[in-house]
Amino acid sequence: MSRNSLLEDPRPSSFLEKPSEDTSQVTDTTGATLAGFRSAEDLLIPGVEDVVEESTTHHKPHGSDPINDQTMVLNMGPQHPSTHGVLRLVLEVDGETIVSLAPDIGYLHTGIEKTCEAKFYHQVVPLTDRIDYICPMTNNLAYALAVEKLLDLEIPERAQYLRVLFNELTRIQSHLVWLGTHAMDIGALTIFLYCFREREDLLRIFEAVSGQRMMGSYIRVGGLSVEPPLDIYDKIRAFLNAFPSHIEEYEGLLNANPIWMGRLKGVGYLSAENAIALGVTGPPMRASGVDFDVRRDMPYSGYEKFKFNVPVSNDGDVWARYIVRMQELRESTNICLQALDGLPEGRITANAPKIILPDREQMKTQMESLIHHFKIVTEGFQVPAGEVCSSVEAPHGMMNYYVVSDGTAKPYRVHMRNPDFATLQALEVMCKGQLIADVVAVIGSIDIVLGAIDR
Amino acid sequence: MAADPITNPATPPSTSQAAVFGKQAVTDALADHAAILGLKDLIVDAKWDRKELTLTVAPETILAAAQAARIAGYNFLEDVTCVDWYPTEPRFQLTYHILSHTLKQRLRLISRVSGDDPRIDSITSVWPSANFYEREVFDLFGVHFPGHPRLTRIMMPDNWNGHPLRKDYPVEGYR
């Protein structure tokens, strides 16, 4: 119903489920050109020093042209509410128009990759929570998948379904944070309160499952940390049944809102070619017309058993990203319901007593389990040497974990490819020639988390 | 049945499971693989392990290899990162993950550079998205990328001493 209402919007929108043959056209223009990207030079985004240097060349000798020689270098952030964390932007503005822009990051750099190298494999899981702290379970899953690939562990189907269920709930939660803050940046405060009301329900579910509202470390190497409480499924189902009406509530406030439309439509355009060239993934890439979703195209954790659509739009502007994410909320709700309906019985951890901590009950009654527990906690478990890369579709885009093992109990190298880091590179292309106020809208639409960028 | 994420459809099932090492063995086992066909002349070493293809190229040919990978259909650069194999020489292993949206496959290109004066050509002319990733590797490992538009520190302060992700840099930092 609501998808139709989108199409009935007074302004034409080219949102459509793109047929698969169109993807070949995208790669024809981007993948097969021989001489590099047509505009590769333009896409090399400037650093902070470049912006400052260039701005001096835009000044004409003093007094020669008093009206037209004024460009100004402006600092935005790091302490600025609309940069969603500690992001500093250096803008060169001509009046209110952006001439060039450079992001300055690193304010939240905590050296997590270095810390991982000093921890046992299972001790890294809580660190992954804190990278993209809006979607901790997705980080857990990406890391767990990588280590499981190194260990060649087989994960029981029940654990896979629960992983999918909680990943999609995390996606809903993350998109709610995005919608709330994005709308608040544009000036629609009510949406923020509504979104955080629903997010609170989800955080209570996460708390009931893992003991923590946000940094749950729920998904572990080899499975899940604990069996969810029995009454949680009814609570999740109640939330999912009510949630579509909440989405309609948000859309009712936004879709026909003239301020919302005016601030979003036609702003921050990103072409499919530039999205690929600049490494943009996830909803911003799909809003630019590239039909690729890791869950569907390179399925992991049993996603091939679920039926869902991948929303794509060809508009490439902030509005298209809004539409795509709102549709993703519906699809995620759908996947969660499928996971609840099809949830099989069985174990939630792989059968690997030397890798997975035993139940407390077993540990206290069985000698063997006690030994395993002691060994895992004191000296970890050894992982066969090799290098693997796991890839998941996080709420913000494609999240990869590259784990290198040298055969010891500590990872030799852990590298996270977070979608936000690459998406930030596209900010300059999207904002050039727009107004300062549009920068705020564009930052909201790419949905970045600085914890994931700086790591 | 859904497509296996990493296995090449052209790969016979018997070879898709087992690990294959060495240039000759991999090119024989995966003769139809798009990446093998595209980078045939540039491969120095190869590895098919845990259903992931890793191709080693010489550091001088990294730009040519990146272009060849793109022509072979690997259109999306995912990331550029580095592994420090201190004290082994060549010390730094540059790792490039490249994805193909149409083939639905991932390719890992690696290249080893020496520990004294580590440098490797920038691939920003092939994929502008390498910009931030190369700055990050420069910042945290001290590998130089000739051809990069402006190689400056990205995470650490500009006046920082040392490169934190090197293995001879203490985890707690210098005090």
Side-chain angles (χ1 to χ4, degrees), chain A residues 139-156:
Chain A
N139 287 269
N140 294 165
L141 178 64
Y143 173 72
L145 285 175
V147 180
E148 283 156 11
K149 208 191 266 184
L150 276 170
L151 289 162
D152 201 14
L153 279 185
E154 194 170 326
I155 306 304

Side-chain angles (χ1 to χ4, degrees), chain A residues 434-449:
Chain A
Q434 313 257 343
L435 302 179
I436 294 179
D438 295 335
V439 176
V440 174
V442 171
I443 291 174
S445 77
I446 57 176
D447 191 19
I448 48 172
V449 164

Side-chain angles (χ1 to χ4, degrees), chain B residues 8-11 30-40 43 53 55 68-74 100 102-105 107:
Chain B
N8 182 28
T11 314
L30 304 168
D32 298 338
H33 199 285
I36 301 277
L37 291 174
L39 280 84
K40 211 182 316 172
I43 304 171
L53 180 65
L55 298 179
R70 240 191 73 189
I71 293 164
Y74 292 83
S100 167
T102 41
L103 301 170
K104 303 184 191 346
Q105 279 173 3
L107 166 68

Side-chain angles (χ1 to χ4, degrees), chain A residues 176-345:
Chain A
L176 285 175
V177 175
W178 155 76
L179 182 63
T181 51
H182 185 31
M184 194 162 65
D185 290 346
I186 307 293
L189 191 67
T190 322
I191 297 290
F192 175 79
L193 299 172
Y194 284 179
C195 287
F196 272 59
R197 180 187 65 190
E198 269 74 72
R199 178 175 182 254
E200 190 61 30
D201 292 343
L202 283 172
L203 291 182
R204 290 211 174 114
I205 289 171
F206 295 156
E207 187 179 16
V209 168
S210 67
Q212 292 277 343
R213 284 158 59 86
M214 285 174 76
M215 312 297 169
S217 302
Y218 183 59
I219 295 170
R220 305 271 172 91
V221 176
L224 305 169
S225 63
V226 285
E227 178 76 40
L230 287 174
D231 64 337
I232 199 71
Y233 303 109
D234 289 338
K235 285 184 187 161
I236 296 174
R237 203 179 280 277
F239 172 82
L240 293 173
N241 288 335
F243 192 58
S245 66
H246 291 307
I247 303 177
E248 276 162 33
E249 195 177 8
Y250 313 143
E251 289 184 340
L253 282 165
L254 293 175
N255 271 359
N257 183 329
I259 300 172
W260 183 250
M261 289 196 288
R263 291 290 304 276
L264 264 61
K265 284 198 173 175
V267 171
Y269 177 73
L270 182 69
S271 69
E273 191 178 18
N274 286 353
I276 290 177
L278 289 166
V280 177
T281 50
M285 178 182 79
R286 288 191 285 275
S288 294
V290 184
D291 190 3
F292 187 85
D293 188 310
V294 186
R295 291 174 295 169
R296 183 196 61 194
D297 295 320
M298 301 171 81
Y300 54 91
S301 190
Y303 264 109
E304 66 274 5
K305 294 169 197 143
F306 295 85
K307 284 196 176 63
F308 57 96
N309 296 319
V310 177
V312 179
S313 167
N314 287 320
D315 292 356
D317 58 355
V318 175
W319 178 267
R321 283 166 223 144
Y322 160 69
I323 296 288
V324 165
R325 285 208 184 85
M326 294 310 271
Q327 293 297 341
E328 282 192 0
L329 282 175
R330 292 198 168 83
E331 297 300 334
S332 290
T333 313
N334 201 349
I335 296 172
C336 289
L337 285 170
Q338 289 177 42
L340 279 178
D341 290 338
L343 189 66
E345 291 297 316

Side-chain angles (χ1 to χ4, degrees), chain A residues 353-360 362-381:
Chain A
K354 292 189 176 170
I355 290 165
I356 296 148
L357 284 177
D359 294 340
R360 299 299 287 179
Q362 280 183 2
M363 189 198 89
K364 287 174 180 170
T365 51
Q366 296 173 16
M367 190 64 208
E368 193 80 343
S369 296
L370 182 64
I371 294 170
H372 288 318
H373 185 274
F374 181 74
K375 294 277 269 187
I376 293 170
V377 170
T378 52
E379 50 187 54
F381 50 84

Side-chain angles (χ1 to χ4, degrees), chain B residues 11-140:
Chain B
T11 314
S14 56
T15 52
S16 67
Q17 297 300 325
V20 185
F21 296 94
K23 181 189 172 186
Q24 195 56 45
V26 174
T27 45
D28 288 348
L30 304 168
D32 298 338
H33 199 285
I36 301 277
L37 291 174
L39 280 84
K40 211 182 316 172
D41 308 327
L42 299 163
I43 304 171
V44 178
D45 192 9
K47 181 168 80 173
W48 172 260
D49 187 18
R50 297 173 174 92
K51 298 189 193 174
E52 294 189 11
L53 180 65
T54 310
L55 298 179
T56 311
V57 296
E60 309 81 57
T61 60
I62 187 66
L63 203 53
Q67 260 153 2
R70 240 191 73 189
I71 293 164
Y74 292 83
N75 61 329
F76 187 88
L77 177 79
E78 290 181 313
D79 62 357
V80 180
T81 185
C82 186
V83 184
D84 181 6
W85 289 104
Y86 180 79
T88 323
E89 278 293 335
R91 177 173 170 181
F92 294 107
Q93 172 194 326
L94 273 297
T95 308
Y96 302 80
H97 286 106
I98 310 169
L99 180 76
S100 167
H101 280 158
T102 41
L103 301 170
K104 303 184 191 346
Q105 279 173 3
R106 178 170 292 113
L107 166 68
R108 181 182 302 123
L109 277 184
I110 62 174
S111 195
R112 294 284 285 260
V113 296
S114 98
D116 39 74
D117 190 28
R119 55 181 60 238
I120 189 164
D121 283 339
S122 166
I123 59 161
T124 43
S125 56
V126 185
W127 281 290
S129 57
N131 185 344
F132 270 23
Y133 288 107
E134 287 178 352
R135 278 178 70 188
E136 190 191 346
V137 172
F138 165 73
D139 186 357
L140 303 178

Side-chain angles (χ1 to χ4, degrees), chain A residues 103-118:
Chain A
D104 184 17
I105 61 174
Y107 290 90
L108 213 55
H109 179 64
T110 47
I112 287 181
E113 290 182 9
K114 183 76 173 175
T115 315
C116 291
E117 293 171 9

